[in-house]
């Protein structure tokens, strides 16, 4: 379901929209001009990409609990200090600590004609290891979790291969991802229930390439824990073709990953303190942790850089703020939302004063609009902003959750909004070795930051709330 387009919404509600609350003096630029100025400044300065490039160079590997994540925390603190943010601080939380280990290998063991052929593989985050020398098993293919649940008996003593592709007919690739991600999250335990010895999952991407895409998985209570790994879409096609040709394929899998005790960690927080209502807060953020295959450039270095840049832009143009704009670089989105939960718990007493929480965690691509939890009345109050942003092609709104890290604030009634960039290329790089700075377009990234700055600036100027 999609909400009515903002053009429709605009036509219906615009006559009843109150004038922009911070009524500018006669000579002050109107909202449209201020939005254009934010976009022009973002493109002219090109700072967002520089911030992201610095993160990817300083802390390219920053999984929760790792030394790289600690480096990223210090990077975030230094960035905020350099940008002149106030109240820069580290807010503690405990995070999981899983290590990939030195060895990850998947190869064909039989039939002999193909023996030794390697298949591109990455352990899923949270997986247990195989024996040090690896395991060998015949492979049984399933078209996804449903197929496994119906026909799982075939997998007893074997390696279950879950080969559900992303649905290419979904225009919104996040929907395609949502329909297939269950095989990654729950595949190991579902396969273990029927006696499988390991699970291999087709990577969650619409591309046909050699990059395995990792991601989190979980083990159900009371079920044996078996090793779980993603294979590239090309490897999945190769394996499927061999099986379809009638070959009894056996694979050798070696994973040396392990789970260590939880580690103390931090969200990184800094502010532009409001001049008129400093106790009212707009949060903007992304998550600082990332999977280790690539550099987490899109996921979610882009969101962190855009959050920092959106505040820089607002201040560079002298747009207040009236309320406090708080940038939060969240710990541990990928592995259990511990940073988001810690933020909501730490700030429980002031969540009633949170006017908005905005997150960017869908990649640094061309911005299309926003999604979130706003009710109809609150959405209607955004109509003038959408009118002002039409020049940038920002027209999209859909109901949603805003973002994983800000999600824990939902219960307190904080309005949650997420930036929605074009989704076509996100899952090309998501959780894969290709998620590197070279695959981030500087102008598209900057435009996303400008869109976020425009939303923050507009909501900062509204009288009352979006609740
Ligand atoms: Zn993310």
């Amino acid at each position: 379901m999609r909400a009515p387009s903002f053009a429709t919404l605009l036509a219906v509600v615009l006559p009843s929209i109150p004038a922009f609350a911070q009524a500018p003096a006669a000579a002050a630029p109107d909202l449209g001009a201020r939005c254009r100025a934010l976009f022009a400044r973002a493109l002219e300065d090109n700072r967002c990409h520089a911030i992201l490039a610095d993160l990817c160079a300083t802390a390219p590997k920053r999984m929760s609990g790792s030394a790289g994540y600690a480096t990223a925390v210090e990077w975030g603190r230094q960035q905020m200090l350099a940008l002149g943010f106030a109240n820069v601080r580290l807010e503690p939380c405990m995070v999981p600590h899983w290590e990939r280990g030195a060895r990850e290998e998947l190869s064909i063991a039989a039939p002999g004609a193909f023996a030794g052929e390697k298949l591109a593989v990455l352990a899923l985050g949270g997986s247990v290891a195989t024996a040090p020398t690896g395991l060998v098993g015949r492979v049984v293919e399933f078209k996804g979790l449903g197929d496994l649940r119906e026909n799982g008996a075939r997998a007893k003593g074997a390696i279950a291969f879950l080969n559900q592709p992303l649905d290419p007919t979904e225009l919104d690739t996040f929907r395609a991802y949502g329909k297939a991600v269950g095989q990654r999250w729950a595949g190991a335990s579902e396969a273990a229930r029927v006696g499988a010895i390991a699970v291999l999952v087709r990577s969650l991407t619409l591309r046909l390439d050699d990059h395995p895409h990792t991601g989190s998985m979980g083990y159900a209570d009371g079920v044996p824990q078996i090793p779980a790994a993603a294979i590239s879409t090309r490897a999945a096609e190769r394996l499927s073709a061999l099986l379809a040709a009638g070959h009894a394929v056996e694979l050798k899998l070696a994973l040396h990953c392990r789970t260590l005790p939880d580690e103390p960690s931090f969200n990184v927080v800094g502010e532009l303190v409001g001049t008129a209502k400093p106790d009212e807060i707009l949060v903007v953020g992304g998550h600082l942790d990332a999977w280790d295959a690539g550099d987490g450039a899109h996921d979610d270095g882009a969101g962190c850089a855009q959050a920092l840049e959106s505040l820089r832009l607002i201040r560079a143009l002298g747009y207040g703020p009236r309320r406090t704009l708080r940038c939060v670089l969240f710990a541990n989105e990928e592995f259990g939302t511990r940073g988001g939960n810690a933020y909501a718990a730490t700030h429980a007493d002031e969540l009633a004063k949170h006017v908005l929480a905005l997150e960017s965690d869908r990649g640094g691509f061309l911005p299309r609009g926003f999604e979130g939890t706003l009710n109809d009345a609150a959405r209607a109050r955004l109509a003038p902003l959408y009118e002002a942003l039409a020049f940038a092609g920002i027209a999209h709104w859909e109901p949603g959750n805003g973002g994983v890290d800000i999600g824990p604030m939902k219960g307190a009634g904080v309005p949650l909004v997420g930036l929605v960039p074009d989704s076509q290329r996100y899952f090309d790089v998501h959780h894969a070795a290709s998620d590197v700075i070279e695959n981030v377009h500087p102008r598209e990234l900057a435009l996303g930051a400008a869109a976020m700055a425009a939303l923050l600036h507009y909501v900062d100027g509204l009288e009352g709330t979006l609740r």
Side-chain angles (χ1 to χ4, degrees):
M1 291 289 288
R2 282 288 186 277
S5 77
F6 252 84
T8 313
L9 203 58
L10 210 59
V12 174
V13 302
L14 195 53
S16 65
I17 295 291
F20 184 60
Q22 222 183 357
D30 65 13
L31 176 63
R34 294 196 303 271
C35 286
R36 284 174 189 273
L38 285 167
F39 277 72
R41 189 65 180 260
L43 293 171
E44 181 183 13
D45 291 355
N46 199 23
R47 283 290 304 277
C48 198
H49 189 262
I51 293 170
L52 179 57
D54 196 53
L55 171 61
C56 292
T58 305
K61 308 299 175 194
R62 48 184 193 279
M63 271 204 298
S64 287
S66 68
Y69 184 78
T71 302
V73 165
E74 180 56 18
W75 173 90
R77 197 178 73 86
Q78 293 295 342
Q79 285 289 320
M80 290 184 183
L81 292 171
L83 290 167
F85 291 4
N87 304 322
V88 175
R89 59 195 184 269
L90 306 182
E91 297 187 350
C93 62
M94 294 298 289
V95 298
H97 187 192
W98 174 85
E99 283 184 351
R100 182 168 299 287
R103 186 170 173 214
E104 289 184 316
E105 280 178 36
L106 180 66
S107 59
I108 296 176
F114 309 109
E117 183 179 323
K118 290 201 182 323
L119 300 171
V121 68
L122 269 182
L124 296 181
S127 174
V128 296
T130 63
T133 52
L135 61 79
V136 176
R138 71 191 162 82
V139 184
V140 180
E141 178 178 355
F142 297 92
K143 291 305 174 191
L145 271 187
D147 187 16
L148 174 66
R149 284 172 183 146
E150 277 178 35
N151 306 300
R154 293 186 291 129
K156 189 171 173 55
I159 298 173
F161 165 37
L162 302 183
N163 192 26
Q164 179 185 350
L166 265 60
D167 180 353
T169 68
E170 288 286 359
L171 197 63
D172 178 349
T173 62
F174 282 84
R175 283 175 183 267
Y177 177 76
K179 284 157 71 171
V181 70
Q183 67 183 347
R184 190 192 79 205
W185 174 259
S189 288
E190 292 293 324
R193 282 184 212 281
V194 296
I197 59 169
V199 67
L200 298 174
V201 178
R202 181 190 181 98
S203 283
L204 300 175
T205 177
L206 287 147
R207 282 283 282 267
L208 200 56
D209 63 23
D210 294 318
H211 294 300
H213 296 236
T214 189
S216 57
M217 54 81 62
Y219 290 114
D221 290 338
V223 181
Q225 299 189 347
I226 61 173
I231 61 174
S232 72
T233 46
R234 257 199 205 118
E237 292 290 304
R238 170 69 172 154
L239 203 48
S240 188
L242 288 173
L243 293 167
H247 296 293
V249 179
E250 289 184 14
L251 294 177
K252 179 175 182 183
L253 174 68
L255 303 177
H256 286 189
C257 43
R258 61 178 180 158
T259 297
L260 297 154
D262 285 2
E263 285 275 339
S265 191
F266 301 98
N267 294 327
V268 187
V269 182
E271 299 171 342
L272 302 184
V273 177
T275 53
K277 298 179 173 181
D279 60 329
E280 295 190 7
I281 294 155
L282 284 75
V283 164
V284 59
H287 64 84
L288 191 53
D289 67 313
W291 289 110
D292 57 335
D295 298 346
H298 279 289
D299 185 14
D300 185 25
C304 293
Q306 288 172 325
L308 292 162
E309 170 71 351
S310 64
L311 265 56
R312 187 194 74 83
L313 287 168
I314 286 169
R315 209 177 46 180
L317 288 167
Y319 293 168
R322 300 167 67 234
R323 293 160 162 138
T324 293
L325 304 185
R326 179 179 290 164
C327 180
V328 184
L329 308 182
F330 291 95
N332 181 233
E333 185 271 347
E334 300 291 6
F335 229 139
T337 325
R338 301 277 189 90
N341 287 329
Y343 180 87
T346 301
H347 297 275
D349 289 350
E350 59 177 10
L351 290 184
K353 291 272 194 177
H354 277 50
V355 175
L356 181 78
L358 169 63
E359 177 157 6
S360 168
D361 186 19
R362 290 171 167 234
F365 300 100
L366 189 68
R368 299 282 199 204
F370 300 96
E371 53 96 5
T373 64
L374 304 191
N375 59 36
D376 288 351
R379 263 184 19 228
R381 296 198 72 190
L382 294 189
L385 175 70
Y386 272 78
E387 186 182 32
L389 292 178
F391 80 94
I394 290 187
H396 180 85
W397 172 269
E398 67 189 66
N401 295 317
V404 170
D405 299 288
I406 58 177
M409 290 184 254
K410 186 177 182 180
V414 178
L416 310 179
V417 174
L419 179 70
V420 177
D422 187 275
S423 75
Q424 296 312 315
R425 289 168 288 156
Y426 185 58
F427 292 97
D428 294 2
V429 302
H430 184 247
H431 299 176
S434 47
D435 189 5
V436 292
I437 187 73
E438 290 76 11
N439 288 329
V440 178
H441 194 283
R443 288 176 63 87
E444 294 190 7
L445 182 73
L447 292 170
M452 293 164 69
L455 176 67
L456 291 169
H457 171 55
Y458 178 72
V459 175
D460 178 39
L462 288 176
E463 288 306 329
T465 73
L466 294 172
R467 288 178 187 238

